[in-house]
Amino acid sequence: MTSAQIAEVGIASGCKGGLERCICPRVTICATDTLSIILLALARCSAFFDYPLYMMMFLSKCHNINNVCRRTVLREWIDFGDMHKVHRLFGIIVGIETMFHSFFHMLRWGLNADIDLLWKTTTGISGLAAVMITPLICWPMVIPAIKERLAFEVRKGLHYLSIVWAIMLLFHSKSRIYYLIGIPALMYLVDYLFGYFGRNGLIENAFFERYGENGVALHFLNPPNWDKKPKTSYVYVMCPWISKYQWHAFTIFPEPTKEDHTMLCIENSGDWTKELHRKIKVPCLRPLYVLGPYKSPFSDAAVTTSNAIAVASGIGITPTLSLVLNYAGKKRINVVWACRDPGLVEYILHKIDIGAITKKSYAFIFYTGTRELALPKDLPSNIFIFTGRPHLEHTITGIVTAIHSGDGLPEEIYEAQEKIANAPFQQRMKVALSRVVEIYNKDEMFEYAVEETEKVAAAAVAEDPAPESDGTIDTAPLDDSDPETAPLLFSPDEVPEGQVSLKGLDSMISEFLGGIGEYSRSDIEALFHEIDSDGSGFIDRDEFDDFIGMITMESRTLSDSQHELLSAMERSMDVRRSSIDSSVRRSTHNNILGNDTTIRYMQNLLKYSEGDNPLEDWSIFYCGGSNEIAQILREVTSKYNIDFAVEKFDW
């Protein structure tokens, strides 16, 4: 505009500083000198840059629209599964740009003695309101120091100030802002209302139970409008008996034992989850509302190859196992799980058949808690449990080397375990002993059983049950907590010197025959009565030697099927020992955990490849809240040129 035109409008007297033209369409964006024009240009450019980001911040949270788009060919060009990351990134940029935009406008007004426009005009008031609430919307969600100190419920409540922020923007400018903000905001509102009323279901009788010291599991029948078998998904849950206004997102998992049922695990991590844990003192039925399901951001990019390693930490195991279940039998997905919560580890192992869904893969569990785990009596041989933190590069290279070289395929271990499980206990016992007596002498086995008998007797007097084994993974000793199944306990005075009780025999079997598979009280009782020829309730050395001699004699004439069973049990016991004591290297399978040798194997694989990436059919993905693990995995995958995806669910 020329000076004459500006003077005619009446906002200012004209251009200053010898300028022939300047900018002054309305009072709030009037710049009549060079410095004001520069400041106005900076402020306006920041606003124009932000317009598409404003739109995407609303569109990225249209969960129902995104859910539909993820099933279309558009997903090949747009990653609809990554919309939360888009929302977060653009939110950070807009939070910075809003301050940038406001600063240059207010600086210009102050230099021109027009600062009163900040409270005398609609543009100034709406802009001031927007800039004041922007930190409340953005900072608690992205700044770690604030994020750690504020409960999720508080942060989520502050984030809803974005509705006020959007309304302020509609009044801030009289130009195209109505369309650029109004249309995406309207789409978000319609999408939200559709989900709230159309995809929201009341579960009248959801079953709640604690899964340990630090979490709650719930189970419910799938609502009628759900898919038969929902893929890796999450739902928003609202428990009206805790709060009618709080909805929290959790990953769902198909109930392993019931058709058309869903379960989910909720870890104590905030005020709402802690209140849930406090209220669920005993297993009970209570109502809740579920909104969804929505496909997890984890489900699109995580598995893009035939071979994968799924790394999880803590409660991240639930979306990980849900994803693995989707590809069970189709892809080889190995699981590496680090967890310090004993209740969660025990619950997952008892409720979910990890061995079955990973039967062509390995499952490594690294337990970092302090309490001793109460494990199922028999675990599949492709599941390894360690105490301590994993060395991720060793573990990853060990898995890749074992499978890539074909020198330790998990399905071979799994098939061997199934042969063991299908054989009768007596047959398993005799075949296993025929091999064990070649490794250990009878003196070692008998002395161990005597020591365990004495321990149990002493513990009975103190009314403090003593452990009868070293906690081997496969076979836990008999449980004394059930009076119908507990074997007879004797005081030290009642135990004949140098003899073995039923409990002592059970402990010896757990220690020396760890690969024989699961057995019951009736199994061990029948075996005990077979050895206890005089019916005294104790086995002396002669009776024990006779039994071992009988087994040794029979083992010389094993049938073909028994030899096959023996081979399977040898592999099982070798693998199991490697998981208990990783310093012992007795077989090829022991290298699955990884070491410097497997690192060199991977390095040589890349070094001597002729142009092609020999690991292009491998990918690694991580689900959990550990920045340290995510960073280590980024470094490892970059080093070996392996695809990597991460979902921290840090909403």
Side-chain angles (χ1 to χ4, degrees):
M1 299 175 66
T2 63
S3 289
Q5 289 172 324
I6 291 174
E8 184 179 344
V9 172
I11 298 175
S13 58
C15 299
K16 300 176 182 179
L19 295 176
E20 295 182 1
R21 290 180 175 274
C22 49
I23 303 170
C24 198
R26 55 183 182 270
V27 66
T28 54
I29 53 173
C30 187
T32 57
D33 58 69
T34 302
L35 180 58
S36 294
I37 291 174
I38 292 173
L39 294 175
L40 178 62
L42 290 171
R44 297 288 282 174
C45 285
S46 68
F48 292 141
F49 177 82
D50 282 348
Y51 282 160
L53 307 190
Y54 295 159
M55 300 169 66
M56 282 306 301
M57 281 197 302
F58 286 100
L59 294 176
S60 63
K61 284 301 173 180
C62 295
H63 296 301
N64 297 288
I65 295 175
N66 288 335
N67 225 38
V68 172
C69 291
R70 289 171 74 175
R71 295 181 174 91
T72 69
V73 72
L74 291 175
R75 61 178 287 175
E76 299 300 324
W77 291 276
I78 303 174
D79 187 3
F80 293 101
D82 213 18
M83 286 294 105
H84 176 70
K85 290 184 175 64
V86 170
H87 180 83
R88 187 176 185 274
L89 175 62
F90 287 3
I92 293 172
I93 296 172
V94 167
I96 297 171
E97 286 282 284
T98 298
M99 300 300 172
F100 188 88
H101 174 84
S102 303
F103 171 76
F104 287 114
H105 268 317
M106 288 189 287
L107 179 60
R108 179 173 57 84
W109 290 347
L111 292 174
N112 294 334
D114 290 331
I115 196 65
D116 58 342
L117 294 174
L118 198 59
W119 57 83
K120 288 186 176 180
T121 63
T122 302
T123 298
I125 294 171
S126 60
L128 180 62
V131 77
M132 288 177 66
I133 64 175
T134 295
L136 301 177
I137 298 170
C138 298
W139 293 358
M141 290 294 186
V142 297
I143 299 178
I146 300 177
K147 195 172 182 179
E148 291 171 2
R149 287 170 173 78
L150 289 181
F152 173 80
E153 294 80 4
V154 175
R155 295 187 289 114
K156 187 70 178 290
L158 290 173
H159 205 63
Y160 277 118
L161 288 173
S162 56
I163 298 173
V164 178
W165 181 84
I167 294 172
M168 291 299 101
L169 288 189
L170 293 177
F171 288 95
H172 187 62
S173 174
K174 297 181 180 180
S175 59
R176 60 187 67 85
I177 195 78
Y178 288 113
Y179 306 103
L180 297 177
I181 298 294
I183 293 177
L186 180 62
M187 291 177 64
Y188 168 76
L189 178 62
V190 172
D191 182 270
Y192 178 83
L193 292 175
F194 169 76
Y196 193 86
F197 293 105
R199 304 194 67 190
N200 193 347
L202 168 64
I203 309 296
E204 295 183 352
N205 293 302
F207 178 72
F208 290 79
E209 62 177 339
R210 289 186 178 184
Y211 64 67
E213 301 88 345
N214 198 39
V216 172
L218 65 93
H219 314 252
F220 56 85
L221 176 66
N222 295 343
N225 60 333
W226 281 27
D227 293 338
K228 187 73 173 175
K229 291 184 178 180
K231 299 297 183 183
T232 305
S233 307
Y234 66 94
V235 295
Y236 288 93
V237 172
M238 187 270 281
C239 296
W241 34 276
I242 297 180
S243 172
K244 298 178 182 178
Y245 308 103
Q246 293 187 29
W247 294 79
H248 296 264
F250 300 102
T251 302
I252 59 175
F253 189 88
E255 172 67 58
T257 58
K258 294 182 180 179
E259 189 75 17
D260 295 332
H261 280 68
T262 290
M263 63 176 288
L264 53 91
C265 296
I266 302 174
E267 183 181 43
N268 289 358
S269 58
D271 293 342
W272 189 89
T273 53
K274 290 177 180 176
E275 179 65 12
L276 173 65
H277 188 268
R278 188 187 69 81
K279 286 182 176 290
I280 306 301
K281 294 181 172 62
V282 295
C284 59
L285 296 173
R286 291 202 175 185
L288 81 155
Y289 291 85
V290 291
L291 178 61
Y294 301 107
K295 287 189 70 178
S296 168
F298 205 29
S299 59
D300 284 350
V303 183
T304 57
T305 54
S306 298
N307 297 288
I309 300 175
V311 182
S313 59
I315 200 66
I317 190 63
T318 53
T320 300
L321 289 180
S322 180
L323 187 66
V324 172
L325 183 63
N326 289 342
Y327 295 99
K330 302 172 185 175
K331 296 176 181 283
R332 195 193 299 272
I333 305 178
N334 306 273
V335 176
V336 178
W337 179 29
C339 184
R340 70 166 62 94
D341 183 355
L344 181 59
V345 174
E346 292 163 353
Y347 188 83
I348 292 294
L349 289 177
H350 281 86
K351 291 287 185 179
I352 300 171
D353 189 356
I354 299 179
I357 64 177
T358 61
K359 61 184 177 182
K360 291 188 176 182
S361 314
Y362 294 112
F364 288 154
I365 301 173
F366 292 86
Y367 173 59
T368 58
T370 55
R371 174 171 72 74
E372 186 176 350
L373 292 173
L375 297 172
K377 179 170 286 189
D378 189 56
L379 289 174
S381 291
N382 59 328
I383 295 181
F384 298 78
I385 301 180
F386 304 89
T387 55
R389 295 166 61 87
H391 188 300
L392 287 172
E393 185 173 7
H394 282 175
T395 305
I396 289 169
T397 57
I399 293 172
V400 175
T401 300
I403 294 175
H404 189 274
S405 66
D407 215 9
L409 296 177
E411 55 264 37
E412 294 177 357
I413 301 173
Y414 188 84
E415 289 170 4
Q417 183 73 8
E418 283 207 318
K419 289 178 182 176
I420 297 171
N422 293 331
F425 170 72
Q426 291 279 7
Q427 184 181 2
R428 284 183 274 138
M429 184 72 183
K430 292 177 180 179
V431 171
L433 270 174
S434 68
R435 191 253 186 169
V436 169
V437 294
E438 298 175 1
I439 302 173
Y440 304 100
N441 61 50
K442 291 182 288 185
D443 292 339
E444 291 176 311
M445 298 168 65
F446 185 75
E447 287 171 8
Y448 184 88
V450 170
E451 289 176 4
E452 290 299 307
T453 297
E454 293 170 352
K455 286 182 184 179
V456 172
V461 173
E463 295 184 350
D464 181 18
E468 59 271 46
S469 76
D470 66 347
T472 53
I473 293 171
D474 321 70
T475 316
L478 296 177
D479 184 7
D480 295 334
S481 61
D482 185 348
E484 293 184 4
T485 61
L488 295 176
L489 299 178
F490 300 89
S491 68
D493 295 336
E494 297 173 317
V495 177
E497 184 177 355
Q499 296 201 22
V500 177
S501 68
L502 178 59
K503 290 283 286 187
L505 180 66
D506 176 48
S507 298
M508 187 276 291
I509 292 173
S510 295
E511 173 65 18
F512 289 88
L513 284 78
I516 65 169
E518 188 172 2
Y519 58 89
S520 66
R521 179 181 186 258
S522 60
D523 288 330
I524 194 69
E525 269 195 336
L527 177 65
F528 185 83
H529 292 316
E530 181 179 345
I531 307 173
D532 183 19
S533 57
D534 59 5
S536 65
F538 293 94
I539 301 170
D540 59 23
R541 180 57 191 264
D542 291 337
E543 290 172 321
F544 187 82
D545 286 349
D546 289 343
F547 176 71
I548 296 298
M550 178 185 67
I551 296 299
T552 306
M553 183 70 67
E554 290 182 5
S555 68
R556 296 172 184 171
T557 57
L558 291 178
S559 65
D560 291 342
S561 62
Q562 287 175 323
H563 276 296
E564 189 176 346
L565 178 61
L566 175 60
S567 176
M569 294 173 74
E570 286 177 342
R571 292 197 298 272
S572 177
M573 285 187 280
D574 277 341
V575 170
R576 188 61 65 203
R577 287 192 184 94
S578 73
S579 70
I580 297 169
D581 182 4
S582 58
S583 66
V584 179
R585 303 293 177 185
R586 289 196 178 105
S587 72
T588 302
H589 301 305
N590 295 338
N591 289 325
I592 295 168
L593 188 59
N595 50 30
D596 292 340
T597 301
T598 58
I599 289 178
R600 287 194 296 272
Y601 178 92
M602 295 270 288
Q603 291 172 337
N604 290 334
L605 199 62
L606 294 171
K607 181 179 179 180
Y608 297 109
S609 62
E610 299 178 358
D612 297 331
N613 178 12
L615 301 176
E616 64 179 356
D617 200 33
W618 281 86
S619 61
I620 296 175
F621 52 94
Y622 169 64
C623 183
S626 172
N627 290 319
E628 180 185 358
I629 291 178
Q631 182 57 36
I632 293 173
L633 290 174
R634 287 190 183 94
E635 294 171 0
V636 171
T637 52
S638 175
K639 178 178 179 179
Y640 297 107
N641 198 17
I642 299 175
D643 290 340
F644 179 57
V646 60
E647 178 51 75
K648 294 182 68 213
F649 287 89
D650 53 350
W651 305 345

